[in-house]
Amino acid sequence: MGFDDANVYEQRHLSKLIITFTIHTGAVVRSTSKAKQDQIIRRMILASLGLENYLEEQVESANYLLRVMKYKGPQTKETKLGINAHTDKNIVPLILYQNQVDGLQVETKAGKWINDKPSSPHSFIAMIGDSLYAWTNGRLRSPYYRVMMSGNEARYSTGLFSIPKEGYITKAPEEVVDEEHPLLFKPLDHVEFLGFYYTEAGQLALST
């Protein structure tokens, strides 16, 4: 279940479903404040790369999608795949809340899968999406992650995803392109890219 424009006040009152979810799991979803955290994270990233002048562009280029996710327990002690390994195509995916059922795993650069457990119920997890990977010309890596489940209990989580607006062209700044770091990706419209990615031709290109 997902809610577009999750940082807009009116959109945070869409349905009693989200209220029911927060009561059942104990999650408190404050998407506007979390959108600010997303912007803080991106500000830190830009500062580390010497790209502070692009902050306004980065902030203005994004919409937000709030997703509520449930993974059923497989009813066995054996570990089963809850969701396939994948990278996110957006800018910065934030896992805002997880109940006390583990399962999130992230792949390291060395190809090892590690369990990503929150340090407290109030912590969140920030990752790099493919769009930011392309915009930084590969200076930041978008990791593969998956959910592995065992036991009877369901896993609940909420995620806030910053997504490039339609018409915004993701283009690596000239400051991150040089002889040591040649341009990896042509400028692209994120919405057009997704339209191709989910076609048969897009999936075939991905596998070759």
Side-chain angles (χ1 to χ4, degrees):
M1 180 172 61
F3 300 95
D4 291 318
D5 298 322
N7 58 317
V8 179
Y9 178 81
E10 289 79 2
Q11 294 295 91
R12 290 185 288 125
H13 298 270
L14 290 173
S15 168
K16 292 183 179 179
L17 285 173
I18 190 107
I19 299 174
T20 302
F21 173 83
T22 57
I23 293 174
H24 177 68
T25 64
V28 178
V29 178
R30 301 181 183 276
S31 51
T32 297
S33 63
K34 296 304 181 184
K36 291 180 180 178
Q37 288 181 339
D38 164 84
Q39 293 167 14
I40 291 172
I41 291 169
R42 283 192 279 160
R43 184 182 297 117
M44 294 168 63
I45 290 172
L46 295 182
S48 71
L49 296 173
L51 301 174
E52 296 94 329
N53 292 339
Y54 293 90
L55 177 61
E56 183 176 354
E57 173 191 324
Q58 275 288 306
V59 171
E60 294 298 323
S61 69
N63 287 325
Y64 290 90
L65 170 68
L66 178 68
R67 293 192 64 191
V68 180
M69 295 162 281
K70 176 183 179 181
Y71 307 93
K72 293 182 179 180
Q75 312 299 310
T76 176
K77 292 182 179 180
E78 295 182 15
T79 301
K80 301 290 185 179
L81 186 66
I83 187 171
N84 290 324
H86 66 286
T87 60
D88 277 325
K89 303 298 175 277
N90 46 60
I91 304 172
V92 175
L94 292 177
I95 307 301
L96 304 179
Y97 171 82
Q98 304 176 78
N99 63 345
Q100 302 306 306
V101 177
D102 296 329
L104 181 63
Q105 294 185 344
V106 179
E107 187 182 32
T108 67
K109 285 185 177 181
K112 180 181 179 181
W113 288 99
I114 60 173
N115 295 320
D116 200 335
K117 298 181 180 181
S119 57
S120 81
H122 306 292
S123 63
F124 65 91
I125 297 169
M127 288 185 279
I128 302 299
D130 289 344
S131 179
L132 191 55
Y133 169 68
W135 189 84
T136 61
N137 198 37
R139 301 296 181 94
L140 300 176
R141 174 177 173 268
S142 53
Y144 277 87
Y145 70 96
R146 67 188 182 186
V147 173
M148 303 298 292
M149 296 289 297
S150 63
N152 301 327
E153 195 171 353
R155 170 185 165 83
Y156 293 92
S157 64
T158 57
L160 185 68
F161 303 88
S162 49
I163 301 172
K165 294 179 179 178
E166 184 174 5
Y168 174 75
I169 303 301
T170 299
K171 179 182 179 181
E174 60 182 16
E175 291 91 336
V176 294
V177 181
D178 53 34
E179 291 185 4
E180 187 179 350
H181 303 90
L183 185 65
L184 296 176
F185 303 97
K186 296 179 180 179
L188 59 91
D189 181 302
H190 183 76
V191 175
E192 291 181 0
F193 164 71
L194 288 183
F196 170 73
Y197 176 82
Y198 289 110
T199 65
E200 183 177 351
Q203 293 299 301
L204 181 62
L206 181 67
S207 63
T208 58

